[in-house]
Amino acid sequence: MDGYSHNSASAHGLTPWHGTTIIGVKRGDRTVIAGDGQVSMGNTVMKPNARKVRRLGAGEGGGPEKGKVIAGFAGATADAFTLFERLERKLEQYRGQLMRAAVELAKDWRTDKYLRNLEALMIVADKDVLLVITGNGDVLEPEGGIAAIGSGGNYALSAAKALADYEDDPEKIARKAMKVAADICVFTNDNVTVETVAP
């Protein structure tokens, strides 16, 4: 497939915590994941500057793979951080092999009684692959090197695919696509966090 988008604004409890907009763009040997900072509950903005894109495993005393995986989430914040922690453990277990760690996380997410209730989607990347991980047990690698999730994901994906025809810089594509999503989707703002991986 050329790209991937999934709307994750599902109900959590009685009031939907709307997804956000996260986009991943891979061009050549550079991959960027960008996301906005808005957390909404119903029609109310609860927080404008949440950090939904992060570098996994970065920290002092880490091994050679520390900080070489980036990830962004759309969905319930607490659920997403649980998944981040699980993915970090899988990365440690499989010595930084992101594809293997993602597949094992997806298996657990689909079959584990606790994890099955988590409402979030993730885009993850290292220097080699860009992946979307879902709670259905899917690990998807978009052919066109562009993936987007969240309530504004379709807007960002469409913009990025149009930009990709004449722009090679993945960060420029991601930032411009996020601006389009923020202009259209009321659950997305222009407070953008960007993380990059490269060899």
Side-chain angles (χ1 to χ4, degrees), residues 52-173:
K52 303 170 191 173
V53 177
R54 62 183 284 194
R55 194 167 291 274
L56 296 184
E60 295 181 9
E65 296 303 321
K66 291 291 186 179
K68 294 189 177 180
V69 173
I70 55 175
F73 73 86
T77 305
D79 292 355
F81 281 107
T82 298
L83 292 167
F84 278 163
E85 290 171 4
R86 292 284 184 126
L87 181 57
E88 284 184 322
R89 288 205 292 269
K90 295 291 185 186
L91 286 167
E92 289 174 8
Q93 182 179 352
Y94 296 108
R95 300 180 180 275
Q97 299 175 55
L98 178 58
M99 180 64 83
R100 178 73 186 276
V103 168
E104 293 302 320
L105 174 65
K107 285 181 187 176
D108 290 351
W109 195 352
R110 179 170 49 87
T111 59
D112 183 274
K113 188 174 181 180
Y114 168 72
L115 292 179
R116 272 202 312 261
N117 294 320
L118 300 184
E119 296 179 350
L121 289 167
M122 299 174 71
I123 295 179
V124 299
D126 64 8
K127 65 182 178 61
D128 299 314
V129 294
L130 172 70
L131 305 170
V132 177
I133 310 175
T134 79
N136 296 324
D138 297 320
V139 177
L140 307 168
E141 185 174 3
E143 288 179 12
I146 301 171
I149 57 176
S151 57
N154 286 331
Y155 308 123
L157 180 66
S158 298
K161 285 171 68 66
L163 289 163
D165 288 339
Y166 60 88
E167 178 60 72
D168 289 327
D169 187 326
E171 182 170 345
K172 287 182 180 178
I173 294 172

Side-chain angles (χ1 to χ4, degrees), residues 6-13 15-19 74-76 79 118-120 151:
H6 194 297
N7 189 316
S8 65
S10 59
H12 184 74
T15 306
W17 285 84
H18 285 275
D79 292 355
L118 300 184
E119 296 179 350
S151 57

